[in-house]
Amino acid sequence: MLDKAIIIENLSKMYKNNRGIHDINLEIDRGEIFGFLGPNGAGKTTTMKIMVGLMKADKGDVILNGYRISKDYEKAMKKVGCIVESVNPFSYLTAYENMKLCGRFNNDVDGARIDECLEITGLIKYKNEKIKHYSLGMKQRIGIAMAILSNPEVLILDEPLNGLDVEGMVEMRKLILNLSEQHKTTFFISSHLIHDIELTCNKVGILYNGKLLGVDSTHNILKNYSSLENYYLSEVI
Amino acid sequence: MQALNAVYINEIFKMSKKKKVTASLIFSFFSVIVTAIAVYALNNFAGISITGSSEFSIMVLAVLSYTFFPLFTAFICIDMFAGEFADHTIKFTLTGPASRFKVFLGKILAIAVFIIANLVLVMFLSLVASMFINRGMPNFFKILIAYIMEFFPILIFALAVVLISNITKGTTSAFMLSVFVFLVFNGVGLAFPYLKSLLFTAAFDWYRLALGSYINFGKILRVFLILLGYGIMLFTAGYYLFENKDI
């Protein structure tokens, strides 16, 4: 098994308004929970979109589980689950039907696994309800259920706590820690909830104006700073 | 192959759950029934003979091939591409372990299945109706050939709508532009008859080439090759835009 679950090499993408990301290099070991911090517009979502193939990079590449997304997209994404920007399930389908669509890409996913994921995310009671009747938090939960459905080795989650209530946030944090400990699942999580990143992630990177300013373990950061917030402010100001 | 299969089955499943698809099939059903009643009434009560038993299915095909078939096909194509881009549900399909080519191909295959289903439904209904209108047996073989031939120009139109759906940013603009292209192509065909043979919309009634007592195979082959050329160009252009689209 490869030690590096995610490798980002010289990743650049510029928009017409001259914003974007510049030369991002990053390596994330298997089983790590990486927190991607940055203000709005820093380029977090752009990076994640390129990582899952929703956007093409101007330069550079991403290697997931040893496969380059530019060359072996299917193999690279085979064991990857993701939520990017927002969760958009098909509103005219039920939660179960949406999960079934995801499951068709993987032979190991059956009805029992779908139910298990809906149970984990607390949606089992509503599995036959159409998504158009779901609240924002429930949509976020279905997104998480879809992301973990195929027992992925890598989970790329853009603002996974969006729309979740306090209870949901705590459950989500537990789920992340549990998957990381028991299944060595690698996480790449973006969030602007700095406290939550501090509690969940064991490695943190700060993206500012499209540039990766610093990457360090949460343990090291908290040895030198009283909180992750102080470290963040020291890096960006 | 599993990825393509998954995309294709997913698209068929999604289509089956959409009200537009059900509505279009019901509309096709009723359009045949209404036409049959009108023809029956004219034949039997007004003393006007509109069609024989074989011609009824062809007459229905002639009417629907320029109206509901392209219209419903456009709805499905726009929903499947521009619609999913607009409501961001396309992200779900694109982040699965399937290359964009397989996603594109899976969607086109599902559209082809919809076109076939619509043609089969109308052909079957019109055949049943024609037996009630005129007591003679229709020429099944000729009708079958006509409906099979009609599949190709409708598919080409679908590929054109898919291309448009990948250019525009919303469903309304995609629909308006598709209607505009359809009208312009038909208009050019009427205004400049010498260009007509080069336009795919002129092939919407190319099945007539196979209906007469003398069948011009050379002309059928020529039109088929023109359609094939359109198909290759539109598929390639549509796929190119789909592959390079940033979400």
Side-chain angles (χ1 to χ4, degrees):
Chain A
M1 192 179 269
L2 294 156
D3 289 324
K4 305 288 177 199
I6 302 172
I7 301 171
I8 298 177
E9 293 176 339
N10 309 315
L11 203 65
S12 297
K13 171 86 181 175
M14 286 297 282
Y15 294 110
K16 283 175 190 161
N17 59 8
N18 274 335
R19 277 164 56 190
I21 52 171
H22 316 269
D23 264 331
I24 293 181
N25 287 284
L26 187 61
E27 290 189 352
I28 298 163
D29 292 335
R30 197 159 295 282
E32 274 186 336
I33 306 173
F34 177 78
F36 203 32
L37 278 173
N40 293 337
K44 300 189 297 290
T45 301
T46 300
T47 308
M48 293 173 114
K49 280 185 171 178
I50 295 170
M51 287 173 77
V52 298
L54 290 175
M55 266 186 183
K56 299 266 187 288
D58 294 341
K59 202 180 85 179
D61 209 346
V62 176
I63 302 168
L64 299 174
N65 290 319
Y67 296 103
R68 289 181 179 275
I69 55 151
S70 59
K71 291 195 174 83
D72 290 309
Y73 182 78
E74 283 182 29
K75 285 178 183 164
M77 290 301 288
K78 189 79 188 166
K79 290 174 181 171
V80 175
C82 65
I83 296 177
V84 179
E85 205 169 28
S86 56
V87 179
N88 304 97
F90 295 96
S91 59
Y92 54 91
L93 300 179
T94 66
Y96 188 86
E97 287 167 345
N98 268 287
M99 297 285 283
K100 192 91 184 140
L101 295 184
C102 280
R104 286 206 180 91
F105 289 103
N106 196 318
N107 285 334
D108 302 332
V109 175
D110 54 12
R113 175 64 188 157
I114 292 174
D115 283 347
E116 187 188 348
C117 292
L118 290 170
E119 181 79 56
I120 290 169
T121 49
L123 289 173
I124 192 76
K125 279 190 287 184
Y126 315 103
K127 75 173 197 175
N128 293 320
E129 255 183 52
K130 287 195 174 163
I131 298 293
K132 63 183 170 193
H133 303 304
Y134 273 32
S135 67
L136 178 66
M138 287 165 87
K139 280 185 190 162
Q140 195 67 15
R141 282 167 190 264
I142 188 76
I144 293 158
M146 286 157 100
I148 62 171
L149 184 66
S150 59
N151 285 311
E153 289 175 7
V154 174
L155 271 166
I156 297 166
L157 306 174
D158 189 8
E159 304 283 357
L161 305 178
N162 257 4
L164 294 182
D165 50 24
V166 178
E167 198 184 333
M169 284 187 193
V170 173
E171 280 169 18
M172 183 66 195
R173 203 181 301 141
K174 275 187 197 162
L175 177 70
I176 291 170
L177 293 170
N178 185 32
L179 287 172
S180 172
E181 277 169 25
Q182 292 185 0
H183 302 280
K184 291 290 261 177
T185 306
T186 310
F187 284 87
F188 190 104
I189 303 170
S190 86
S191 179
H192 54 256
L193 300 171
I194 205 158
H195 176 66
D196 216 81
I197 291 281
E198 188 177 318
L199 289 173
T200 318
C201 302
N202 47 33
K203 192 174 185 179
V204 174
I206 292 173
L207 191 71
Y208 194 75
N209 280 339
K211 288 179 183 155
L212 195 61
L213 297 183
V215 179
D216 207 344
S217 72
T218 316
H219 180 75
N220 277 348
I221 292 168
L222 294 177
K223 258 199 314 196
N224 300 319
Y225 296 86
S226 58
S227 67
L228 192 56
E229 189 174 275
N230 284 343
Y231 168 72
Y232 175 80
L233 292 171
S234 74
E235 287 286 326
V236 301
I237 294 172
Chain B
M1 199 62 193
Q2 191 201 350
L4 176 62
N5 205 32
V7 173
Y8 167 70
I9 294 172
N10 281 352
E11 293 304 327
I12 295 281
F13 180 75
K14 285 188 290 178
M15 258 192 335
S16 72
K17 294 283 177 180
K18 277 181 186 163
K19 284 179 184 153
K20 268 180 202 161
V21 174
T22 319
S24 66
L25 294 176
I26 291 171
F27 228 95
S28 297
F29 176 86
F30 279 111
S31 61
V32 175
I33 301 295
V34 169
T35 313
I37 292 169
V39 170
Y40 182 81
L42 288 170
N43 276 359
N44 291 281
F45 303 117
I48 305 165
S49 181
I50 299 286
T51 63
S53 54
S54 283
E55 288 83 31
F56 178 72
S57 296
I58 301 299
M59 189 189 87
V60 169
L61 183 62
V63 173
L64 294 190
S65 61
Y66 278 97
T67 52
F68 291 144
F69 283 153
L71 183 71
F72 295 150
T73 306
F75 280 150
I76 300 305
C77 297
I78 289 166
D79 252 18
M80 213 177 261
F81 286 89
E84 291 195 8
F85 279 119
D87 64 16
H88 302 290
T89 49
I90 194 81
K91 277 196 292 187
F92 160 81
T93 316
L94 294 183
T95 53
S99 65
R100 286 212 184 183
F101 178 74
K102 286 180 183 168
V103 173
F104 187 78
L105 185 60
K107 282 176 177 284
I108 298 296
L109 288 174
I111 290 167
V113 167
F114 169 77
I115 297 169
I116 291 169
N118 214 354
L119 284 166
V120 167
L121 175 79
V122 170
M123 184 182 74
F124 177 75
L125 279 173
S126 64
L127 276 170
V128 172
S130 68
M131 283 187 257
F132 284 101
I133 295 167
N134 297 82
R135 300 203 185 277
M137 289 298 282
N139 187 336
F140 290 113
F141 182 70
K142 273 195 171 176
I143 291 168
L144 181 67
I145 293 291
Y147 275 77
I148 289 172
M149 287 174 80
E150 186 58 21
F151 167 75
F152 296 100
I154 299 288
L155 182 66
I156 301 305
F157 178 66
L159 289 172
V161 177
V162 167
L163 174 65
I164 290 167
S165 294
N166 278 286
I167 295 169
T168 57
K169 290 200 169 163
T171 50
T172 312
S173 51
F175 181 71
M176 297 305 283
L177 194 56
S178 299
V179 171
F180 179 73
V181 166
F182 182 77
L183 293 176
V184 165
F185 267 60
N186 277 302
V188 168
L190 287 172
F192 308 101
Y194 55 94
L195 289 176
K196 200 178 172 188
S197 61
L198 295 174
L199 305 169
F200 71 86
T201 44
F204 276 11
D205 59 359
W206 77 310
Y207 55 83
R208 293 191 186 282
L209 295 171
L211 296 180
S213 50
Y214 167 72
I215 298 172
N216 187 342
F217 288 103
K219 194 168 181 191
I220 289 174
L221 180 67
R222 196 185 72 198
V223 178
F224 178 75
L225 290 175
I226 289 172
L227 287 176
L228 187 67
Y230 267 110
I232 292 168
M233 286 190 292
L234 290 168
F235 184 93
T236 309
Y239 167 63
Y240 176 79
L241 293 176
F242 186 75
E243 172 68 43
N244 292 296
K245 198 157 186 157
D246 282 345
I247 313 298

